[in-house]
């Protein structure tokens, strides 16, 4: 019985260590995007959602659903320069929703480029 208890404890510790390792890997993967995550959480999450899926708290009352940034197909079909322009100049500048505001007065070009890279990370798509 003593062997079983020790074995169970070691097994439990291995599972915990494995979970911590996964969390650590996720944190390391997000590290280069830390500034963009903060910006996204400040300005974008209300519409695009905490899960980045277009289901933010404001989306329920919007006539056009915000872009799902986790949608690899839709995001992969959108070139980087279009994403950049949509963020900087608003949705209308790329024939999208008027509800997407212009962020060029709030974010500089470097921050917008970093946001585009972050959106590629979120959507698991490469740059275009």
């Amino acid at each position: 019985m003593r062997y079983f208890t020790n074995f169970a404890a070691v097994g439990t510790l291995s599972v915990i260590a494995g979970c911590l390792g996964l969390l650590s890997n996720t944190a390391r993967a997000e590290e280069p995007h830390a500034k963009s995550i903060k910006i996204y959480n400040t300005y974008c999450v209300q519409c695009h959602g905490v899960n980045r899926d277009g289901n933010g708290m404001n989306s329920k009352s919007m006539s056009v659903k915000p872009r799902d940034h986790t949608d690899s197909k839709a995001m992969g079909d959108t070139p980087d320069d279009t994403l950049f322009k949509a963020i900087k100049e608003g949705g209308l500048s790329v024939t999208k929703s008027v509800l997407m505001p212009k962020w060029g007065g709030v974010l500089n070009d470097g921050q917008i480029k970093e946001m585009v890279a972050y959106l590629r990370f979120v959507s698991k798509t490469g740059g275009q």
Side-chain angles (χ1 to χ4, degrees):
M1 186 64 156
R2 182 175 176 89
Y3 171 76
F4 180 75
T5 303
N6 289 342
F7 179 74
V10 169
T12 301
L13 288 175
S14 295
V15 169
I16 291 170
C19 289
L20 290 174
L22 288 175
L23 290 174
S24 177
N25 289 341
T26 301
R28 276 195 297 270
E30 290 180 347
E31 222 170 79
H33 303 290
K35 291 177 186 173
S36 294
I37 291 170
K38 186 174 181 177
I39 290 169
Y40 194 103
N41 288 341
T42 301
Y43 299 111
C44 312
V45 78
Q46 292 83 1
C47 298
H48 294 281
V50 294
N51 295 321
R52 286 45 175 159
D53 59 3
N55 291 314
M57 63 184 185
N58 291 345
S59 69
K60 293 168 187 62
S61 61
M62 298 172 89
S63 58
V64 176
K65 187 178 189 292
R67 169 71 61 102
D68 177 352
H69 292 142
T70 65
D71 182 347
S72 295
K73 171 70 173 121
M75 292 296 291
D77 289 345
T78 307
D80 287 356
D81 59 337
T82 301
L83 293 174
F84 183 94
K85 189 172 183 176
I87 295 167
K88 184 171 183 161
E89 300 174 19
L92 281 180
S93 70
V94 292
T95 64
K96 297 294 182 186
S97 176
V98 65
L99 300 175
M100 171 62 185
K102 300 175 184 180
W103 292 107
V106 176
L107 306 174
N108 64 42
D109 285 359
Q111 291 170 311
I112 296 171
K113 286 178 186 176
E114 290 174 1
M115 182 60 68
V116 170
Y118 174 63
L119 294 175
R120 293 294 177 206
F121 170 76
V122 168
S123 63
K124 298 177 178 69
T125 58
Q128 297 182 13

